[in-house]
Amino acid sequence: MSDSSDAPDASDGGSGDESWQTRADRALGRLVDASAAERILISFAALGLSVVVGAVIVLVSGWVATCDSPFFAMAGVGSFCYDPIAVYRVMLVGAAWPPYNFAITLKETTLLLFTGLSVAVAFRAGMFNIGTQGQLLLGALGTALSVLWVAPFVPAGVVGGVLLIAVGLLVGGLVGGLWGALPGALKAYADANEVITTIMLNFVATGIAFTLVSEVFKDPESQTVQTRAIPSFAQLQAVFFDSTVFSMFALVGALALVGGVYWMLNGTSFGFDLRTSGVQPEAAEYGGVDSKQMMVSSMAVSGALAGFGGAVYVLMVASRWQTGIPSLGFDGITVSILAGNNPLGVVPAALLFGALKTGSLAIEFQLAVPKQLVGVLRGLIILFIAMPEFFRMVGARFSFGDDQQTVATDGGEATATAGETADGAATPADEPTDGTTGGNEGGDER
Amino acid sequence: MSYAEPTRKQRWLAGAAVLIVAALLAVELFFPESPVSEIVRIVDANYVRSVLRLAVPIAFAALGGIFAEKSGVINIGLEGLLIISAFTSIAVAGTISGGNPTQLELWVGFFAAVLTSVLFALLFAVVCIEFKADQIIAGLAVWLIALGLAPFASKVIWGQVNSPPVATLNNFNLGFIEMNPPVVMMLLSVPAAWWALNRTAFGRWIEASGENPKALDTVGVDVRKVRYSGVLLSGFFSGLGGAGLALGRVGQFIGGGATMVNGRGWIGITAYLFGNYNPIGAFGASFLFASLDALQIRLQQLGYSIPSELIGIIPYVTVIVVLAFVGRTRIPDAAGDHYESGEE
């Protein structure tokens, strides 16, 4: 027992006064470092496992629930109300058919593209932005108020609509960006942990928005807390599906933003600095990056993306600010983690989650299975992605290489010199940390 | 060592708090007609009682978080554990009684909730310790799972995300004073936790497991077991907090929005960071946050036309300000790191 000579040196050298957030950053670094191929595999495996566990939850809840016609009953065991296979089938089919449902799926996908990108950018910069929801909420309020304020000064029609949409997007992004910059600044200059502050700021944003609307900007004709509706010519118009909730313009814009963010991260020096300060803060500092400024600006960019999401929510879906904005921000966390924090990966992840959300409406409508099931799946996916080691162990068991030696995966830190990061950043896939993978997935990359 | 010693900033904050209290008392003394005096007069025995009741979920979450993080596992899933236990307590008490639970059935619900919370913590521990999951992300997952699972199960059981109301636990009659049972448990748990951490071998193991697991391993103590017990204790305390919130005060599970727990687990994390991992300090911070919450409720009752939602954000703003002021607390050296014993 005491023969611990080859125990990995879990505590890294020298930094005895390391803070909570530094550790969180390092954990993030590990997450960002895993190779692309491995991460795709892990995402799929996590997805598959969540589906399986979700099915068990459906079975058990069907056993608890009471219903007239259970799909399966056995003496001594009881009756099961919900058939997991039917649940998943309805979920998938319901996401695409009838066409109106497909429009809802695309609507959800569009919104999740914004929040997924928002979380991904922060993640890449080494920041946990749990505050996307609050940034989106205030961005939405900014959009609704600015459009309502400017509307009387522009002509009704296409020209006015384009103007109003531009104003709305601008203000939404600005408000979201400022609200996002706040936890960034708190972390940079007051050393306040951004995981906690962003969560707290969500509650604060909800309170502020509710108060502002209920006390100042309330629609006098409405019982509920909401602003007046923006003029219909300021709403993003549907092109296909004749849908009231989905606009092709918004989806195309969101996809363009995906390209833009990808280019920003991989093609600009700002993106380079952002990524290096996320993966190897010391190296970034050495290379002349002001890490404090980087914390603020990356969170501002992240918040602005969330704010755009809020703007599109108002311009496309709700046409006003109202209480009970859906938890797009929290879903964005799942989307980003599922996408491996890669902007391009956000597209399929957002589509999948958009489909799941529409499908959840279908299962509630058709099978009476509560739509909150998607919330459970969301948590499960994150949980499983958090434990790549589990899949490595399973992988090692079922494949040739059982020589998997899982030592501390943060060994890459020691090699942080400026020169190496320049290489590493060009091809993030070949970080030294992957030498430990061993098992099946590792084969792809060497 | 200077581990539990207050930092300079904390002394400064404590001094400022004392000054504010003194100033308020002076106003009360010299200007009894002013609105400030009216607010000061809120503070009476009833106010303290309601503060204690409001502090229950925060303080228990904080106590749990201390054990987990001191042993080397950062558990930011405390909010989720509170949600799970609040839900389970009402669900079990309601189900076994058919809707109108007796005191005994309420207690059964209470302990079932604590057990469920411990089981969830065990899951989190397995994921973090056996499968070396990233603790922050796994903790986030625990929160999100609870945030989805509790309303989902509510709908399965009651057809809506909120449960029907049930009775709450009767007060303990301690002869000279009647007290809310979860409050009594909290007032006992705080010194007990302090004693366990500072005066027992187990406390030393917890401390070593978070500071220098290798040394603990070398003297023949199983680091894994110590960390498991730290995390399980966080589940135990969170269970008491969530069930205490649901059965001790509210008498219902509310699953809409951020659920009835509404961020108290997160405030609990801030409370122990503020209290520098000392149970008594953490309790003090929980008391502070709860007193703001209680003040907010009283101000509404007094009919001040400040919108309730705006006053409702005061605790959260305070948390942010406190975090910004106290900022860096010194966390256990090996917290967040995986440890593998030499023997494999």
Side-chain angles (χ1 to χ4, degrees), chain A residues 31 42-43 45-47 49-50 53 57 333-334 337-338 375-391, chain B residues 75 77 119-128 131-146:
Chain A
L31 210 72
I42 287 173
S43 289
L47 210 57
L49 203 54
S50 315
V53 177
I57 291 174
I333 299 172
T334 322
I337 291 183
L338 191 58
V376 183
L377 291 176
R378 172 179 73 185
L380 287 174
I381 293 171
I382 295 190
L383 182 71
F384 292 136
I385 292 185
M387 39 191 251
E389 211 61 36
F390 171 78
F391 297 108
Chain B
N75 184 356
L119 287 177
F120 258 77
L122 177 65
L123 175 80
F124 175 72
V126 169
V127 164
C128 286
F131 299 127
K132 304 188 182 68
D134 184 306
Q135 292 169 4
I136 302 283
I137 296 187
L140 201 60
V142 169
W143 172 45
L144 291 175
I145 288 175

Side-chain angles (χ1 to χ4, degrees), chain A residues 1-260:
Chain A
M1 155 126 18
S2 59
D3 176 26
S4 59
S5 53
D6 64 338
D9 192 10
S11 57
D12 49 304
S15 47
D17 215 348
E18 220 177 4
S19 71
W20 214 67
Q21 42 261 67
T22 324
R23 275 161 217 284
D25 291 348
R26 192 144 37 82
L28 268 175
R30 271 203 295 271
L31 210 72
V32 173
D33 284 352
S35 83
E38 190 196 40
R39 228 183 10 231
I40 290 172
L41 270 170
I42 287 173
S43 289
F44 274 102
L47 210 57
L49 203 54
S50 315
V51 166
V52 172
V53 177
V56 173
I57 291 174
V58 167
L59 262 184
V60 173
S61 56
W63 181 72
V64 172
T66 48
C67 53
D68 295 333
S69 53
F71 92 98
F72 177 72
M74 189 191 277
V77 182
S79 61
F80 294 88
C81 287
Y82 315 134
D83 176 357
I85 295 175
V87 166
Y88 285 123
R89 197 186 61 228
V90 169
M91 209 180 236
L92 284 180
V93 173
W97 193 261
Y100 179 74
N101 283 18
F102 190 57
I104 299 179
T105 298
L106 290 181
K107 171 200 85 173
E108 291 286 348
T109 305
T110 309
L111 296 169
L112 290 174
L113 283 175
F114 289 104
T115 54
L117 280 179
S118 162
V119 179
V121 166
F123 253 109
R124 275 300 174 94
M127 309 273 289
F128 272 104
N129 183 7
I130 320 283
T132 303
Q133 184 71 20
Q135 293 142 17
L136 177 137
L137 197 115
L138 286 184
L141 182 61
T143 302
L145 295 181
S146 61
V147 169
L148 283 171
W149 188 63
V150 176
F153 306 108
V154 299
V158 177
V159 178
V162 170
L163 274 172
L164 286 183
I165 287 167
V167 168
L169 281 171
L170 195 72
V171 174
L174 200 66
V175 173
L178 287 174
W179 195 250
L182 187 59
L186 283 170
K187 175 168 182 169
Y189 301 106
D191 219 354
N193 182 280
E194 87 278 12
V195 176
I196 308 286
T197 52
T198 50
I199 288 165
M200 294 297 152
L201 284 170
N202 283 338
F203 291 102
V204 176
T206 311
I208 288 178
F210 185 93
T211 310
L212 273 180
V213 174
S214 69
E215 299 295 314
V216 190
F217 301 109
K218 191 162 176 288
D219 177 3
E221 321 222 313
S222 162
Q223 295 296 312
T224 54
V225 176
Q226 59 181 26
T227 63
R228 286 179 292 125
I230 59 173
S232 59
F233 62 87
Q235 291 169 19
L236 288 162
Q237 300 300 315
V239 182
F240 302 120
F241 302 115
D242 195 24
S243 161
T244 51
V245 292
F246 168 66
S247 164
M248 205 64 193
F249 296 124
L251 179 60
V252 170
L255 288 173
L257 202 60
V258 169

Side-chain angles (χ1 to χ4, degrees), chain A residues 284-318:
Chain A
E285 283 272 0
Y286 188 79
V289 178
D290 183 342
S291 69
K292 288 182 191 301
Q293 222 166 36
M294 191 44 83
M295 285 178 191
V296 181
S297 44
S298 62
M299 282 298 283
V301 171
S302 171
L305 289 166
F308 284 141
V312 170
Y313 177 76
V314 167
L315 296 170
M316 177 172 80
V317 184

Side-chain angles (χ1 to χ4, degrees), chain B residues 70-330:
Chain B
K70 274 208 148 194
S71 77
V73 181
I74 300 171
N75 184 356
I76 68 164
L78 297 171
E79 169 92 3
L81 296 177
L82 289 181
I83 295 174
I84 287 292
S85 54
F87 164 78
T88 312
S89 65
I90 300 282
V92 169
T95 311
I96 58 172
S97 65
N100 196 9
T102 62
Q103 285 296 310
L104 178 69
E105 285 159 340
L106 288 179
W107 280 108
V108 173
F110 191 95
F111 288 109
V114 174
L115 186 68
T116 312
S117 174
V118 171
L119 287 177
F120 258 77
L122 177 65
L123 175 80
F124 175 72
V126 169
V127 164
C128 286
I129 298 172
E130 303 300 328
F131 299 127
K132 304 188 182 68
D134 184 306
Q135 292 169 4
I136 302 283
I137 296 187
L140 201 60
V142 169
W143 172 45
L144 291 175
I145 288 175
L147 207 54
L149 194 57
F152 174 79
S154 301
K155 273 203 148 180
V156 168
I157 298 175
W158 301 298
Q160 52 178 30
V161 292
N162 299 341
S163 81
V166 298
T168 53
L169 294 166
N170 282 344
N171 283 352
F172 284 152
N173 192 346
L174 303 179
F176 57 102
I177 190 171
E178 282 200 9
M179 273 183 111
N180 186 251
V183 170
V184 175
M185 291 181 195
M186 172 177 73
L187 294 179
L188 295 175
S189 296
V190 171
W194 183 89
W195 179 80
L197 282 172
N198 293 294
R199 292 285 181 272
T200 64
F202 176 67
R204 284 194 295 278
W205 292 346
I206 290 269
E207 177 113 27
S209 167
E211 293 289 347
N212 192 346
K214 201 169 176 178
L216 190 64
D217 200 5
T218 314
V219 297
V221 178
D222 190 339
V223 174
R224 280 173 64 252
K225 280 186 186 155
V226 174
R227 291 193 167 176
Y228 267 110
S229 26
V231 178
L232 289 183
L233 276 172
S234 76
F236 172 73
F237 283 121
S238 304
L240 292 176
L245 169 70
L247 290 178
R249 180 153 64 85
V250 182
Q252 188 188 13
F253 176 75
I254 301 164
T259 76
M260 68 196 294
V261 175
N262 202 13
R264 292 188 175 85
W266 299 107
I267 297 187
I269 292 177
T270 319
Y272 76 72
L273 290 178
F274 187 30
N276 209 12
Y277 301 90
N278 181 337
I280 295 169
F283 173 69
S286 310
F287 193 86
L288 174 74
F289 297 141
S291 63
L292 282 169
D293 209 3
L295 186 68
Q296 178 255 121
I297 296 170
R298 283 298 166 93
L299 283 178
Q300 277 180 62
Q301 287 166 349
L302 284 178
Y304 281 90
S305 66
I306 313 167
S308 64
E309 293 278 333
L310 198 61
I311 306 175
I313 67 174
I314 291 176
Y316 301 110
V317 174
T318 314
V319 167
I320 294 168
V321 172
V322 162
L323 258 191
F325 263 104
V326 181
R328 185 182 289 252
T329 45
R330 199 195 142 285

Side-chain angles (χ1 to χ4, degrees), chain B residues 28-100:
Chain B
E28 158 75 12
L29 199 61
F30 297 114
F31 307 97
E33 297 304 315
S34 72
V36 176
S37 296
E38 196 175 351
I39 293 171
V40 171
R41 240 169 287 136
I42 288 174
V43 181
D44 56 13
N46 265 333
Y47 177 78
V48 173
R49 238 195 307 268
S50 89
V51 169
L52 285 173
R53 272 147 57 103
L54 289 166
V56 163
I58 302 173
F60 274 124
L63 287 183
I66 291 176
F67 277 96
E69 191 158 333
K70 274 208 148 194
S71 77
V73 181
I74 300 171
N75 184 356
I76 68 164
L78 297 171
E79 169 92 3
L81 296 177
L82 289 181
I83 295 174
I84 287 292
S85 54
F87 164 78
T88 312
S89 65
I90 300 282
V92 169
T95 311
I96 58 172
S97 65
N100 196 9

